[in-house]
Amino acid sequence: MALFKKKPEAEISLQDIILPEHVGIIMDGNGRWAKKRGLPRSAGHTAGAQVFRKIARYCSNIGIRYLTVYAFSTENWKRPKDEVDALMRLFKDYLEEAIRDFKDDSIILRFIGDRSAFSPELIALMEENETESKDRDGMVLNIAMNYGGRAELITAMRQMAREAADGTLDPDSIDEQVVSDHLYTKGEPDPDLIIRPSGENRTSNFLLWQSAYAEYVIMDVLWPDFKEKDLDAALIEYAKRNRRFGGV
Ligand code: FPP
């Protein structure tokens, strides 16, 4: 069943569709955006961070319940030091701003990934943001930082092996739910829609387990140019798809 009411295609707007509960975004194309303008890659990330703020707020306003953004992968440490340093500064600025300015906000902030690799200052900011926002009632915003889908599964497997060894987990009881409950996204619904701007057709290790049945929408726009109307277009494209979860 399509998730929208019958209407000529050009007239379909957000009011006509059922929104996905959980949206994932691979915020890609910052480097190319900067290169096109003869700017350093870090300028692309600065512009990308502004777009992230705008789109996260927009998702919350239109009623998305869960948004997961890919901000830094386990592989991104391989980038030049000045680029990694610039990204760390952007994360710090955003996390300080979130504590200072988002007091009356409804957004619940969570961080997924192995945070132990970050500076003690950044780790403290992540924890403070999670604690400050955990009792709010709005959209859950997962920021994937030092995140990799394979690393997440390895962490889960090690934890399950430990529990099996100490007798608290029966190996025969391990099913999809038990695995999901050992991931960073425990308790959250799987993403329905994953948006990848910048035209690349790859998962790039993003939410590997959770995206088993997600609809992918690849868009030909670089992340720093991404607008609210692009999100609308992805949501409408998602609504047109016919999700069968392997059935008929
Ligand atoms: C991928 O584009 C983008 C990243 C590795 C960083 C994403 C980070 C941000 C959008 C800004 C900060 C976010 C927060 C949460 C404040 P790329 O650099 O690989 O682009 P390219 O493929 O064009 O080189």
Side-chain angles (χ1 to χ4, degrees), residues 158-178:
R158 286 184 181 152
Q159 181 56 25
M160 287 187 288
R162 266 185 230 109
E163 290 169 20
D166 71 19
T168 55
L169 178 67
D170 173 5
D172 289 324
S173 75
I174 298 174
D175 58 12
E176 292 189 9
Q177 189 59 51
V178 171

Side-chain angles (χ1 to χ4, degrees), residues 27-32 41 45 48-49 52 71 76 79 91 94:
M27 304 186 289
D28 195 16
N30 296 348
R32 273 163 286 170
R41 292 177 57 82
H45 296 313
F52 154 71
N76 286 154
R79 296 188 174 206
F91 297 147
Y94 177 72

Side-chain angles (χ1 to χ4, degrees), residues 26-33 41 44-50 52-53 69-73 76 79 83 87 90-91 94-95 143 145 196 198 200 202 222-223:
I26 301 177
M27 304 186 289
D28 195 16
N30 296 348
R32 273 163 286 170
W33 183 91
R41 292 177 57 82
H45 296 313
T46 304
Q50 284 305 102
F52 154 71
R53 285 174 170 85
V69 294
Y70 207 1
F72 195 85
S73 77
N76 286 154
R79 296 188 174 206
E83 185 176 344
L87 280 164
L90 288 173
F91 297 147
Y94 177 72
L95 296 185
I143 305 184
M145 284 174 53
R196 181 155 195 166
S198 97
E200 305 286 355
R202 284 190 293 279
L222 302 174
W223 176 249

Side-chain angles (χ1 to χ4, degrees), residues 117-128:
F118 293 111
S119 69
E121 187 184 25
L122 214 49
I123 296 172
L125 281 167
M126 289 178 185
E127 285 169 1
E128 203 175 335

Side-chain angles (χ1 to χ4, degrees), residues 150-163:
R150 287 185 171 185
E152 178 180 39
L153 283 166
I154 290 168
T155 305
M157 287 175 204
R158 286 184 181 152
Q159 181 56 25
M160 287 187 288
R162 266 185 230 109
E163 290 169 20

